[in-house]
Every structure is written in C-alpha cells, then in structure tokens.
Amino acid sequence: MAIIKPFKGVRPPKEIVEEVACLTYDVMNSEEALKMDEGKDASLLHITRAEIEFEKGTDSHSDPVYAKAAENFNIFQEKGFLVQDTEARFYIYAQTMNGITQYGIVGAAACQDYLDGNIKKHELTRPDKEEDRKVLTRYLKANIEPVFFTYRAVPEIDQIVSDIVNSKKADYDFTAEDGFGHHFWVIENSEINNTLEQLFAEKVPCTYVADGHHRTAAAAGMSKEFASNNPNHTGNEPYNYFMAVHFPDNQLQIIDYNRVVKDLNGLTSKEFLAKISKNFEITSESEAIIKPTKLHDFSIYVAGKWHGLTAKEGTYNDNDPIGSLDVSVLSNCILEPILDIKDLRTSTRIDFVGGIRGLGELSRRVDNGEMAVAFALFPVSMNQLMNIADTGNIMPPKVTWFEPKLRSGLVINKLD
C-alpha cells in the first residue's frame, strides 16, 4: 500500500506567494525564465533557474549555477521569503482551468515505494535529466518542486478534502498570468492528518506518476545516496521521502498531444492521402478544423485542408495496452511505413504540439511552410494510462499532456 506522510513544508508568506510561485523549471528556457523573473526579487526562479543571475549563455548545469541556487535558497529563508511550518502537515493544492477545479493532496511519498514498484511509471527517463535533478537536490537538500501523481479515487479522502475546502478559506488563492487559478489549504488538524495518512496506507494500493518521471527517479536515487552516506541511517529520515501532489484519477483529464511532420517523404498530398486510405476511412474534408471526437478517430491537415479519419479494424488491438493507443496506430500505419519516421525520440523531421495550444496551431505551422502535414489525435484516457502502468508497459514518446502545470514555490520539502 502507498506510504504518504505529512511533512514540515517550507512556504512563502501569503503576501508574496504570487511573486514566489512560478512555472516548473522544465517548461521554459533560460531566456524565458529571465523574462518571467523581471521585477520579482522573491521569485523561486532564482533557485530553480539560477543561471538567470549569470551572463547569457552560462551552462545551467554547471557547478557555479547549482551553488548559486543553494545560496539563494538559504537567502530566501533568511529574508523570510520562505518559512518552515513547525508541524508536519498535509496540504491541499487545487487548480482551476476553464471553470473546472481539481483538488490534490500534497504529501511526502516514500522513495522505497518507487523502488518497489508501488509508485508506477509509464515513461522512460533519460540519465542526463535525472542527474540534473540529483545534483540540484544534492546542493539544496530539498525537493524544491513537487511531482504530479494520481491514484484511484477514494471516497473517504474525497470527503475530507471537500469538507476542508468548503469550510475553510484558502491560505493562498490567486490567478496566475496564464489565467489558471491556484488555491492552497494547510491542514492544521493533527487528527485529520493522521486519518489521511491511514487512509492512503489502507485504501491506496499504489500511486501513478502523471508528470515528473525524472524528478521521481532522481528523488529515489538521492535517497539511496543520502542513506549510504549516513552511518546512522534508520529509514525514517526526511530524505527517504519526496514531495508529490496526489490527485484522484476521477478529477484529471489528459489533453491531446499532436504531431507535425516536415515533409511527405517525396509524396504529393494526393499520393499521401491515397496511401493513407489503405488503413483509414477518410470520413470528411473541410477547410475548417476537424477535431477527433473518439478513440481511433484522427484528423490530418495537409495542403490547406482538414481530413477526418477513422482507423479500420485490424489497425489496432483494444486488448493490448500499447496496441490500443492511437499514437501506436499512427506510427504503425502512417509515420513509419509511409513517412519513414521510425524513431520518434531521435527523428528531426517530427515535432509534438500539446493540445493546450489548440488545433489552430497545427494548421498554422503547416500554412507557414514550416511543416507539411499535421496529425490531431483523441487524447489518452486515465484508464489507458493506469492500465499501461499496471501491466509494466511504457508509453511511446509524447503521449500525455496534463494541464494546468503545477506551480513551484507554494511549498517545499526539506530533506535534512
């Protein structure tokens, strides 16, 4: 069963939370981070993207940058930008997008659960990206940013969350510059904290990494390193846990993750569509956007027109967790045999566009000549994600897109 504990969070005072809070480190480059930081002395970007304090072009993975991040973390605490709670607590973190709010519980997940497979993953990780997060953790001795987890909903946990958010004013409540709302409650009642810890242990057999596979893997790796360096290791130290926001699966929705390709592999658009018709029924054609509305429906944009497609039987296997995915159908029936794109991770001819940008972004990139064809897919379901993780499978690259992204800086977990 899942071990998830309360922890002594390090948090900003309410008056400056909007200045401290920022997007996660991996959704921006250094120049974008510098622009986001303008006029914000207390922005967490001074810790998560400390290269903004160096000359342009400074390697963000260099030791001086990591050292500056640690220095700034200490300065933030000295100045009162970040203050540690005196008692271990759970926290509720809610996000609002398009009028819909999802409520997660922030807690300390056990690194051993990841090593034992009780925290399930659906993506591969890259050693270089893991190492970056390990080095930062080594310098900070803290989980500076949370990981995005999900679990199969438990009514008793849902009820506790509902009672709190309906009876207590949020400790933080603001709308970020992107229009997404962020709401945060501190659970101060020790009895409720104990009950939540017990409910996770008794009712949640496993949790799932929704977003943040590299941070999760890095946390588990650093836990082993800290333990090996501690001759008095007991297994109860803070470094045996890492910070995650746990959202019930019935509140989450995965957004589509689409593809654009630079060329038609020597084919004309007419020849390309003719080859596609072997495995797909072309159901519609329009200059207006055509959006897939169900599993195994696709739409493509080529030569100024949208085409609706339905995959023919035999192109997918709904009894196979991977074979049922529309990204698998697309790769097996179009990208590989027709466009000669065999490895999505290394090919320079393909790019990926999160559905949050809208399908208009696909047609724009084709119309401006940057790309030759765009593919819109129906989004993966939470059941598909969990089924893949449960069966030990790994999703193909660039399949799931979660929105809104978690804000960093609302709470931090110190490991020492």
Side-chain angles (χ1 to χ4, degrees):
M1 306 302 275
I3 299 174
I4 301 164
K5 293 181 174 291
F7 65 100
K8 295 180 181 179
V10 179
R11 304 183 291 112
K14 181 178 180 179
E15 306 79 52
I16 62 168
V17 65
E18 291 185 62
E19 181 177 349
V20 174
C22 64
L23 291 170
T24 56
Y25 81 100
D26 54 351
V27 300
M28 70 191 80
N29 58 35
S30 298
E31 290 184 4
E32 290 168 334
L34 184 60
K35 188 173 182 179
M36 292 177 187
D37 177 67
E38 288 179 357
K40 297 180 179 179
D41 292 340
S43 171
L44 199 75
L45 290 169
H46 288 279
I47 300 170
T48 61
R49 305 290 312 214
E51 73 272 14
I52 63 176
E53 298 193 13
F54 292 77
E55 291 184 5
K56 184 178 179 180
T58 298
D59 182 3
S60 62
H61 307 302
S62 62
D63 284 336
V65 171
Y66 292 121
K68 174 58 72 173
E71 178 186 339
N72 287 342
F73 186 37
N74 290 331
I75 290 172
F76 272 39
Q77 293 174 81
E78 291 169 2
K79 289 186 173 181
F81 294 168
L82 295 171
V83 181
Q84 187 166 29
D85 286 333
T86 57
E87 302 291 335
R89 295 158 175 163
F90 285 110
Y91 307 85
I92 297 172
Y93 176 21
Q95 303 168 296
T96 300
M97 181 179 75
N98 298 331
I100 299 174
T101 303
Q102 57 193 30
Y103 297 87
I105 294 177
V106 191
C111 294
Q112 192 61 45
D113 274 351
Y114 180 77
L115 300 174
D116 292 343
N118 293 328
I119 296 172
K120 300 192 176 187
K121 59 185 180 181
H122 64 268
E123 289 182 6
L124 295 174
T125 55
R126 285 171 39 189
D128 59 326
K129 294 187 72 173
E130 280 186 40
E131 184 59 24
D132 170 52
R133 293 299 93 184
K134 283 184 178 180
V135 175
L136 185 62
T137 303
R138 197 175 291 128
Y139 271 88
L140 299 181
K141 293 182 174 57
N143 303 136
I144 205 74
E145 297 180 297
V147 183
F148 192 148
F149 276 14
T150 188
Y151 63 97
R152 298 192 187 277
V154 176
E156 295 93 331
I157 296 177
D158 290 347
Q159 188 60 56
I160 289 174
V161 172
S162 178
D163 289 344
I164 291 173
V165 302
N166 287 319
S167 63
K168 182 178 183 290
K169 184 178 179 180
D171 293 271
Y172 306 146
D173 196 345
F174 65 94
T175 300
E177 69 281 351
D178 53 16
F180 298 150
H182 300 272
H183 330 281
F184 191 91
W185 291 261
V186 180
I187 303 179
E188 297 177 338
N189 186 302
S190 58
E191 185 176 337
I192 293 176
N193 282 302
N194 292 336
T195 299
L196 281 172
E197 183 176 353
Q198 185 176 355
L199 284 169
F200 274 108
E202 294 177 352
K203 303 277 188 176
V204 180
C206 61
T207 57
Y208 301 81
V209 183
D211 196 10
H213 283 79
H214 289 94
R215 275 168 279 165
T216 302
M222 285 308 302
S223 174
K224 293 176 68 175
E225 179 178 310
F226 285 137
S228 67
N229 292 332
N230 180 6
N232 300 313
H233 173 76
T234 66
N236 296 318
E237 296 85 357
Y239 59 70
N240 292 289
Y241 301 86
F242 64 99
M243 180 174 58
V245 187
H246 301 79
F247 289 93
D249 65 322
N250 58 7
Q251 293 189 27
L252 296 181
Q253 184 175 4
I254 301 171
I255 298 176
D256 48 304
Y257 213 161
N258 304 307
R259 281 91 166 100
V260 286
V261 176
K262 290 184 178 180
D263 62 79
L264 295 178
N265 195 30
L267 300 172
T268 66
S269 59
K270 185 175 180 180
E271 291 169 336
F272 176 65
L273 290 170
K275 284 183 174 291
I276 282 177
S277 64
K278 175 183 176 182
N279 289 309
F280 298 86
E281 296 286 349
I282 300 179
T283 57
S284 56
E285 179 181 309
S286 172
E287 292 184 0
I289 290 174
I290 298 174
K291 186 178 179 69
T293 58
K294 64 180 187 298
L295 192 64
H296 306 323
D297 274 2
F298 303 75
S299 63
I300 66 170
Y301 184 75
V302 63
K305 289 187 177 179
W306 284 93
H307 303 265
L309 309 178
T310 297
K312 295 179 180 179
E313 287 195 22
T315 61
Y316 52 86
N317 180 2
D318 286 341
N319 295 317
D320 176 5
I322 301 298
S324 66
L325 294 174
D326 282 344
V327 291
S328 298
V329 178
L330 181 65
S331 288
N332 295 337
C333 298
I334 297 179
L335 296 183
E336 185 169 340
I338 299 176
L339 297 179
D340 195 32
I341 296 175
K342 295 180 170 60
D343 190 340
L344 300 184
R345 297 181 188 277
T346 60
S347 176
T348 59
R349 294 170 54 221
I350 190 169
D351 198 7
F352 307 89
V353 182
I356 192 67
R357 294 180 176 271
L359 298 191
E361 175 70 6
L362 302 183
S363 55
R364 184 192 69 80
R365 293 184 68 175
V366 173
D367 288 341
N368 69 12
E370 178 190 0
M371 297 291 173
V373 62
F375 302 91
L377 292 84
F378 189 70
V380 172
S381 70
M382 288 300 300
N383 278 336
Q384 283 180 300
L385 182 151
M386 289 179 162
N387 190 24
I388 285 171
D390 286 339
T391 54
N393 283 289
I394 297 296
M395 279 193 177
K398 308 293 185 181
V399 177
T400 58
W401 184 283
F402 287 93
E403 201 75 44
K405 301 296 185 185
L406 301 178
R407 283 269 151 169
S408 301
L410 301 184
V411 63
I412 292 166
N413 179 38
K414 294 182 74 171
L415 302 178
D416 57 355

